[in-house]
Amino acid sequence: MSGEEASKYTQHRQDAIRSAAAVFAEKGYHGSSTRDIAEHLGIKQGSLYYYFKSKEEALAEVCLYALRDYAQQMDVIAASGQPFEAKLIAAITSHISKYREQNGAMKVYHTERLYLPEAKREKLYQLGSGYRQNLENIIEEGVRSGAVRSDLDCHFATQTVIGICNAWGELIVRDPDMELFDVIQKCTDLLSNGFIPK
Amino acid sequence: MSGEEASKYTQHRQDAIRSAAAVFAEKGYHGSSTRDIAEHLGIKQGSLYYYFKSKEEALAEVCLYALRDYAQQMDVIAASGQPFEAKLIAAITSHISKYREQNGAMKVYHTERLYLPEAKREKLYQLGSGYRQNLENIIEEGVRSGAVRSDLDCHFATQTVIGICNAWGELIVRDPDMELFDVIQKCTDLLSNGFIPK
Amino acid sequence: MSGEEASKYTQHRQDAIRSAAAVFAEKGYHGSSTRDIAEHLGIKQGSLYYYFKSKEEALAEVCLYALRDYAQQMDVIAASGQPFEAKLIAAITSHISKYREQNGAMKVYHTERLYLPEAKREKLYQLGSGYRQNLENIIEEGVRSGAVRSDLDCHFATQTVIGICNAWGELIVRDPDMELFDVIQKCTDLLSNGFIPK
Amino acid sequence: MSGEEASKYTQHRQDAIRSAAAVFAEKGYHGSSTRDIAEHLGIKQGSLYYYFKSKEEALAEVCLYALRDYAQQMDVIAASGQPFEAKLIAAITSHISKYREQNGAMKVYHTERLYLPEAKREKLYQLGSGYRQNLENIIEEGVRSGAVRSDLDCHFATQTVIGICNAWGELIVRDPDMELFDVIQKCTDLLSNGFIPK
DNA sequence: AATGAATGAGAGTTCATTCAT
DNA sequence: TATGAATGAACTCTCATTCAT
C-alpha cells in the first residue's frame, strides 16, 4: 500500500511539474498564472498547492527536471571512449533533443532560471557547470589528439557550442515541423568545418 | 508647440525608452513594474503615462529602438562592395556590439518580444527578417564567389550566425569585463574555419 | 456502538478538545488552523472533522470545557458554611488555578469567546454569570456579617475580583515558573487590606 | 505647499490608523480583513496600501498610537510632586481613560500585540515597561513615605494595578454607558482600602 | 510637464471543509 | 476511524492605469 500510494502522489506531482513546464515555456514565468498551470493540469487553482508550496517552487522543480539527466547524459558521453567527432555529435544531439522533450522544461531552465532566488540558482548552476566542464574537456582532448586545431580557444568554443544548441533549441521548440536530425547534423558540420572550403 | 519644445518632448521620451530598456533587460517585462521604470528615469510612476499610453507600448518602443538602426546598418553592410569575410565580420560586429549599447534594448527585443500582441510583433518581424534576408544574401553571394563552401545550407547558416551572436550577446551583457573585440574575432574565426584543422 | 466504544470516542474527543485548547491558547482562534490542531493531536487535518463538525464547534467545546466545573466549584464554595475570608481565598484559588489546567482553555474562553455566534455565547454567558452571581452573593454576605466594609459596591467588587484573577491568570500562563500559591495569597491580601496601612 | 501637503498625507494616514484601531478592537487582528478597515475608512481595499505597506504595519501603528502619549503621561505623573494617593488616582485615570479614546487602540495593543514580529514587539515593550517602572517607583515611594503599608510586594502591586485597569478598560469599552469617573474612583478606593473595614 | 491619490482587477496563497476510500 | 486529495471562498498584496490639480 505505502509504496504504491507514495508513488501515486509522486506521479501526480510529476504531472504537475510537466504542466508547469509547458505553461512556463509558452508564456514565461511571470507571464503564467498558477491558474494557467492548474487548468493545463485539469485541477483547480488552489489544488496546485497540494503539490507545490509556491509558484517559485514549481519553477525550481521544472528547472531541476530539465537538468537532472541532461547533466548525467553528458557524463556518460565524456566517459565513453569514442573519438572527438562522435562525442561532439553525441553532445549536440543530447542537448538539442532535450528541447523537444519534457514539455519545454529545458527552455524554461534557460530562459527563466534568473527568477529563482540565489540559493536555488546556485544548486542548478553546479549541475549545469558540470555539463560545461565535461564539454570543455572533450574539446581539449580533441586538441591533444589532433582532431581539433590547436589554436582554438577551448573555453570560447565550449560556450559557443552551448549557445548554438540553445539557439536551435528555441527554434525547434517554436516550429514543431523542423527535422531534429537535420539540424543536429548541420550544426555538427558547421562547427567542424566552418564556412570556408578546405 | 514650437519645434524646439516638440524635440524636447521627443528627447525626454527617448530617455524614457532607454530607462524602460534598462529595467526590462534586468528584470524581464513581467518582472518590471512601471514604478521601477519611473524610478530609473527619476520621475513618479503616474508621470510615465505622459510618455507611454501603456506598459506594453513601452515594450514595443524598446523593441523598435533595438531594431531600427540595427537593420539599417545591415543594409549598409550588404550594399557595400566588400568581400565575404569582411561582410561577415562587419555583420557580427554590428550585431554583438548592439548588446552593449542602448541599455540592453537588444536583449529585451530578443527575450521579451513574445509578450507583444500579434500585430506589433508582426511589424517587428518584418524589420528583423530584412536583417536576416540581408545576411542570407551575403552568405549565398559568398558561395557563388567561392569564399564559402558550396555544400553549406545557407538558410541554416544564417540562423546559426544570428544564434551565436545572440548567445554571446547575452554573455557579454551579463559580464561587463568581457572583451568585445576578442569575442567578435573568435566568433568569426570559428564560423569561418570550424574545429577541424585544415 | 457498545458502551465501551462510545466512551472511547468520548475520550478521543476530549483529547481533541484539549488539543484545540492548547493551540487556541497559544495562537488565538483565528491565528490557529485546523491543521495546527490536528498536528497537536497527532492526526491528519481531515480527521478532525470526525470529532468536530466545524472549527467553531471546537471553540465552543473548549469554552464549555473551561467553564463547566469552574462554575460548579463555585457552587460548592458558595454553599459551604465557611467565613467570608475563607470563601474569598477559595474562589480566587479556584479561578487562578484554572489557568494552569485544561491546556489553557480558560484563557481561550476569556480571550476568544467573542468569535462565537450570539446563540452559543449566550449559553456560556449563563454559566459565567452563575459564577459571577455566586461571588457577588459571597461578598454581600460578607457585608452583612461585618467582614466586609459596608460602603463597598458589591457588584463592582465582584467584577474587580474576576478581573484581577483573569489578569494574573494570563501572567502565570505566560510564565510557567511563577508560584501559583504566592500569587493567590498576595491577591487575597491586597483585596482584603488594600495599600494603606491600618 | 510642502508643509501643508505633507501633513495632509500624515492626516489621512492618521485617519487610517484610527480606522484600523476601531476594526481591530471590534473583531481582533486576525478576525478583521483589510477590506473591513478600508470600508470603515471609506476607501477601497487596495487603496489602504497607499498608507500601510502591510496589514501588520497597520497593527504596529495602532499599537504605537496607543502607547505613545500613554507612557509620556505617566512620566509626567511620576515626576510631579504630588502625594501617593494623588499619583495613584492620576495613573488609574490616565490608564482607564485611554480605553475610551483612540478608537480602542489601547485594547488592540493589550490583546493583539502578540501577533507582531519579535522586533516590533520589543520596541513597544520598552515603551510599556517604562510605564510599568514608573508605576512601581510610585508605589515604592509610597512605602517609604508611609502612605503604603510596608509589607506590600511592590512589583506584585504594580502588576495588579495594571491588571485591574486593563480589566475595567475592557468592560467600559464593551459598555458605552458606564460612568468612567465612577469606575476610576471605585478602583482607587478598593486598591487603597481593601475589603476589610478598618 | 508632472504628481499625489485612488482604483479595480487580478495575482499568489491559505484554509475550513468535504468525501470517496 | 482515519486519510489523501481536492475544492472554493476568502484573504493579503501588487500593479497598470486614471485623473484632478
Side-chain angles (χ1 to χ4, degrees):
Chain A
M1 191 168 287
S2 69
E4 207 191 326
E5 278 192 45
S7 92
K8 194 164 213 171
Y9 175 83
T10 309
Q11 177 58 49
H12 282 187
R13 188 164 194 270
Q14 189 57 26
D15 293 347
I17 293 171
R18 292 174 54 79
S19 279
V23 175
F24 287 157
E26 198 197 324
K27 308 190 181 186
Y29 177 65
H30 279 118
S32 312
S33 72
T34 53
R35 159 165 283 117
D36 292 335
I37 300 170
E39 250 162 36
H40 188 278
L41 184 54
I43 60 175
K44 295 297 160 59
Q45 192 209 43
S47 311
L48 210 61
Y49 287 77
Y50 189 66
Y51 298 107
F52 304 118
K53 72 179 207 294
S54 69
K55 188 186 175 188
E56 188 194 286
E57 184 183 291
L59 176 58
E61 289 296 326
V62 169
C63 290
L64 259 179
Y65 175 48
L67 280 192
R68 223 185 302 267
D69 45 16
Y70 166 69
Q72 219 171 340
Q73 274 181 23
M74 194 49 146
D75 285 343
V76 173
I77 294 169
S80 79
Q82 296 171 303
F84 170 75
E85 290 240 351
K87 281 182 175 174
L88 179 65
I89 204 168
I92 291 174
T93 303
S94 162
H95 193 143
I96 292 186
S97 308
K98 275 281 166 295
Y99 271 83
R100 274 271 168 84
E101 299 161 15
Q102 298 166 323
N103 282 23
M106 192 71 194
K107 185 187 168 186
V108 174
Y109 164 70
H110 184 227
T111 320
E112 314 292 335
R113 90 195 105 143
L114 74 145
Y115 295 119
L116 288 172
E118 188 54 31
K120 286 181 184 165
R121 219 161 57 222
E122 183 56 33
K123 230 172 140 185
L124 292 172
Y125 180 77
Q126 280 160 17
L127 281 173
S129 75
Y131 177 90
R132 200 161 41 245
Q133 196 52 57
N134 266 325
L135 183 54
E136 194 161 338
N137 290 343
I138 290 174
I139 297 176
E140 281 169 352
E141 201 187 284
V143 170
R144 282 193 295 274
S145 76
V148 175
R149 58 191 168 97
S150 59
D151 59 339
L152 196 75
D153 177 333
C154 291
H155 186 67
F156 169 85
T158 306
Q159 296 278 27
T160 304
V161 172
I162 293 173
I164 287 183
C165 289
N166 284 329
W168 278 104
E170 300 272 333
L171 289 171
I172 67 166
V173 159
R174 225 165 282 172
D175 177 358
D177 294 334
M178 209 177 279
E179 269 290 343
L180 205 63
F181 183 76
D182 188 48
V183 168
I184 290 165
Q185 192 261 318
K186 283 172 176 163
C187 281
T188 318
D189 173 54
L190 183 53
L191 280 168
S192 299
N193 302 308
F195 285 165
I196 301 177
K198 308 249 151 163
Chain B
M1 281 298 157
S2 79
E4 208 190 327
E5 274 190 52
S7 98
K8 195 164 205 174
Y9 173 84
T10 308
Q11 178 57 49
H12 282 187
R13 187 164 195 269
Q14 190 57 26
D15 293 346
I17 293 171
R18 291 174 53 79
S19 279
V23 175
F24 288 157
E26 197 196 325
K27 308 189 181 185
Y29 176 64
H30 279 115
S32 312
S33 72
T34 54
R35 159 168 282 119
D36 292 335
I37 300 169
E39 249 162 37
H40 189 278
L41 184 55
I43 61 174
K44 295 296 161 60
Q45 191 185 21
S47 313
L48 209 62
Y49 286 76
Y50 186 68
Y51 298 111
F52 306 117
K53 75 178 213 292
S54 71
K55 187 185 174 189
E56 189 192 285
E57 185 183 289
L59 175 58
E61 289 296 325
V62 169
C63 291
L64 260 179
Y65 174 50
L67 281 191
R68 222 186 309 265
D69 47 13
Y70 166 68
Q72 222 169 342
Q73 274 183 20
M74 194 49 144
D75 285 344
V76 174
I77 294 169
S80 79
Q82 298 170 300
F84 169 76
E85 289 239 353
K87 282 182 174 173
L88 180 64
I89 204 169
I92 289 172
T93 302
S94 161
H95 192 143
I96 292 186
S97 308
K98 275 282 167 296
Y99 271 85
R100 275 272 167 83
E101 297 162 16
Q102 299 165 324
N103 280 23
M106 192 69 193
K107 184 187 169 188
V108 173
Y109 164 70
H110 184 227
T111 320
E112 314 291 335
R113 86 194 109 147
L114 74 145
Y115 296 119
L116 289 172
E118 187 53 32
K120 286 181 183 165
R121 219 160 57 220
E122 182 56 32
K123 229 171 138 186
L124 291 171
Y125 180 76
Q126 280 157 19
L127 280 172
S129 75
Y131 177 90
R132 199 159 42 243
Q133 195 54 56
N134 266 326
L135 183 54
E136 194 162 338
N137 290 341
I138 289 173
I139 297 177
E140 280 169 352
E141 204 185 283
V143 170
R144 280 193 296 275
S145 76
V148 175
R149 60 191 167 96
S150 58
D151 59 339
L152 196 75
D153 177 333
C154 291
H155 185 68
F156 169 85
T158 306
Q159 296 278 28
T160 303
V161 172
I162 293 173
I164 286 183
C165 289
N166 284 329
W168 277 104
E170 301 273 332
L171 290 170
I172 67 165
V173 160
R174 224 164 285 174
D175 176 359
D177 295 334
M178 210 178 276
E179 271 290 344
L180 207 63
F181 182 77
D182 188 48
V183 169
I184 290 165
Q185 192 259 318
K186 282 174 176 162
C187 280
T188 318
D189 172 54
L190 183 54
L191 280 167
S192 298
N193 302 309
F195 285 164
I196 300 177
K198 306 254 151 163
Chain C
M1 283 298 159
S2 78
E4 209 189 326
E5 276 190 50
S7 97
K8 195 164 206 175
Y9 174 83
T10 308
Q11 177 57 48
H12 283 187
R13 187 162 195 269
Q14 188 59 23
D15 292 346
I17 292 171
R18 291 174 55 80
S19 280
V23 175
F24 287 158
E26 198 195 326
K27 309 189 180 185
Y29 176 64
H30 279 115
S32 312
S33 72
T34 54
R35 158 167 285 119
D36 292 334
I37 300 170
E39 249 163 37
H40 188 279
L41 184 55
I43 62 174
K44 295 296 159 59
Q45 192 185 22
S47 313
L48 210 62
Y49 285 76
Y50 187 68
Y51 298 109
F52 306 117
K53 74 178 214 292
S54 72
K55 187 185 174 189
E56 189 192 286
E57 186 184 289
L59 175 57
E61 290 297 325
V62 169
C63 290
L64 259 179
Y65 174 50
L67 281 192
R68 223 187 306 266
D69 47 13
Y70 166 68
Q72 220 170 342
Q73 274 182 22
M74 194 50 144
D75 285 344
V76 173
I77 294 170
S80 78
Q82 298 171 300
F84 170 75
E85 289 239 354
K87 280 183 176 175
L88 179 65
I89 203 167
I92 290 174
T93 302
S94 160
H95 193 144
I96 292 187
S97 309
K98 276 280 167 297
Y99 270 84
R100 275 272 167 84
E101 297 161 16
Q102 299 166 325
N103 281 23
M106 192 71 193
K107 185 187 168 187
V108 173
Y109 164 69
H110 184 227
T111 320
E112 313 291 335
R113 89 194 107 145
L114 75 145
Y115 295 119
L116 289 172
E118 187 54 31
K120 286 180 184 165
R121 219 161 56 221
E122 183 56 32
K123 229 173 138 187
L124 292 171
Y125 180 76
Q126 281 158 17
L127 281 172
S129 75
Y131 177 91
R132 200 159 44 243
Q133 197 52 56
N134 266 326
L135 183 53
E136 194 161 337
N137 290 342
I138 289 173
I139 298 177
E140 280 168 352
E141 202 186 285
V143 171
R144 280 192 297 275
S145 76
V148 175
R149 59 191 167 97
S150 57
D151 59 339
L152 196 76
D153 176 334
C154 292
H155 184 68
F156 169 84
T158 306
Q159 295 279 26
T160 302
V161 172
I162 294 173
I164 286 184
C165 289
N166 284 329
W168 277 105
E170 300 273 331
L171 289 170
I172 67 165
V173 160
R174 224 165 282 173
D175 177 357
D177 295 332
M178 208 177 278
E179 270 290 343
L180 206 63
F181 182 77
D182 189 47
V183 169
I184 290 166
Q185 193 260 318
K186 282 173 176 162
C187 280
T188 316
D189 173 55
L190 182 55
L191 280 167
S192 298
N193 303 308
F195 285 164
I196 301 177
K198 306 254 151 162
Chain D
M1 190 171 288
S2 67
E4 206 191 327
E5 278 192 44
S7 90
K8 195 164 213 171
Y9 174 83
T10 308
Q11 177 58 50
H12 282 186
R13 189 164 193 268
Q14 189 58 27
D15 293 346
I17 292 171
R18 292 175 54 79
S19 279
V23 175
F24 288 157
E26 197 196 326
K27 308 189 181 187
Y29 177 64
H30 279 117
S32 312
S33 72
T34 54
R35 161 164 283 117
D36 292 336
I37 300 170
E39 250 162 36
H40 188 278
L41 185 54
I43 61 174
K44 295 297 159 63
Q45 191 212 44
S47 310
L48 209 60
Y49 286 77
Y50 189 66
Y51 298 107
F52 305 118
K53 71 180 211 293
S54 68
K55 187 187 175 187
E56 188 193 284
E57 185 183 290
L59 175 58
E61 289 296 327
V62 169
C63 290
L64 260 180
Y65 175 48
L67 281 192
R68 223 185 304 266
D69 44 16
Y70 165 69
Q72 219 170 341
Q73 275 183 22
M74 193 50 147
D75 285 342
V76 173
I77 293 170
S80 79
Q82 298 170 302
F84 170 75
E85 289 239 352
K87 280 183 175 173
L88 179 66
I89 204 168
I92 290 173
T93 302
S94 161
H95 193 143
I96 292 187
S97 308
K98 274 281 167 294
Y99 271 84
R100 274 272 167 82
E101 296 162 16
Q102 299 165 323
N103 281 22
M106 192 70 194
K107 184 188 168 186
V108 173
Y109 164 70
H110 183 228
T111 321
E112 314 291 334
R113 89 194 106 145
L114 75 144
Y115 295 119
L116 289 172
E118 188 53 31
K120 286 181 184 165
R121 219 162 55 220
E122 183 56 33
K123 230 173 139 185
L124 292 172
Y125 180 77
Q126 280 159 17
L127 281 173
S129 75
Y131 177 89
R132 200 162 39 245
Q133 195 53 56
N134 266 326
L135 184 53
E136 194 161 337
N137 291 341
I138 289 174
I139 296 177
E140 282 167 353
E141 202 186 284
V143 170
R144 282 192 295 276
S145 76
V148 175
R149 59 190 167 99
S150 57
D151 60 338
L152 196 74
D153 176 334
C154 291
H155 185 68
F156 169 85
T158 307
Q159 295 279 27
T160 302
V161 172
I162 293 173
I164 286 184
C165 289
N166 284 329
W168 278 104
E170 299 272 334
L171 289 170
I172 67 164
V173 160
R174 225 165 283 172
D175 177 359
D177 294 334
M178 209 176 278
E179 268 292 342
L180 205 62
F181 182 77
D182 188 47
V183 168
I184 290 166
Q185 192 260 319
K186 283 173 177 163
C187 281
T188 317
D189 172 55
L190 182 53
L191 280 167
S192 299
N193 302 309
F195 284 166
I196 300 177
K198 308 248 154 166

